[in-house]
Amino acid sequence: MYQSVGRRKTSTARAILTEGKGMFFVNGKPVDEYFDLDTLRRLAKSPFVLTETEGKYDVKINVRGGGKSGQAGAVRHAISRALLEADPELRASLKQAGFLTRDPRMKERKKYGFKKARKSTQFSKR
């Protein structure tokens, strides 16, 4: 059993990998049911495709916070870290693809006097 944590935006995913038949559950639902968009499904499964380990591990993931896109990124990060724990020889391929790097981009906070983080009211000279 291999455990790891992955993060993206404001989402946090905890992954548990066990050797098995390739069952993939996110928050108790099959991954195809949880991530309704094909792009998000492919993003979540990409570490397995890259390392050619599809169907080798059973995956259980608990993810919370953020939206679906951030959650899919957090799932990818968590799975990549767990795969690295399972087989350290996969490090080079995962590192080169950028799956081990935590994406630091977050939403910028709103500032007072502005409508959003940077959007202001229209300037009027008179």
Side-chain angles (χ1 to χ4, degrees):
M1 187 170 93
Y2 307 100
Q3 292 184 331
S4 66
V5 174
R7 293 185 179 89
R8 168 82 173 98
K9 293 188 177 180
T10 56
S11 302
T12 303
R14 288 181 299 155
I16 300 168
L17 262 67
T18 52
E19 293 196 19
K21 300 181 181 97
M23 295 172 63
F24 198 137
F25 291 99
V26 179
N27 288 353
K29 295 180 184 176
V31 69
D32 298 331
E33 198 178 305
Y34 190 79
F35 292 120
D36 44 357
L37 295 176
D38 186 48
T39 52
L40 297 180
R41 265 183 248 133
R42 276 192 273 133
L43 182 70
K45 293 178 181 180
S46 56
F48 293 120
V49 175
L50 178 76
T51 57
E52 297 167 3
T53 54
E54 272 184 298
K56 196 175 174 186
Y57 296 100
D58 288 341
V59 186
K60 286 182 187 168
I61 297 191
N62 288 325
V63 64
R64 53 179 23 186
K68 294 285 184 179
S69 174
Q71 287 184 350
V75 166
R76 182 182 82 170
H77 192 219
I79 290 171
S80 300
R81 284 178 155 187
L83 281 172
L84 186 66
E85 200 176 301
D87 186 5
E89 293 176 14
L90 300 174
R91 184 173 184 83
S93 59
L94 289 169
K95 185 88 171 163
Q96 190 173 6
F99 290 177
L100 298 176
T101 307
R102 197 263 195 231
D103 194 341
R105 295 176 294 171
M106 303 272 282
K107 185 172 179 173
E108 193 174 337
R109 78 171 193 86
K110 184 195 176 299
K111 278 74 166 194
Y112 59 88
F114 288 76
K115 291 181 183 256
K116 297 196 308 189
R118 298 183 185 210
K119 185 178 181 178
S120 179
T121 54
Q122 187 174 358
F123 175 73
S124 173
K125 196 168 185 179
R126 283 174 198 85

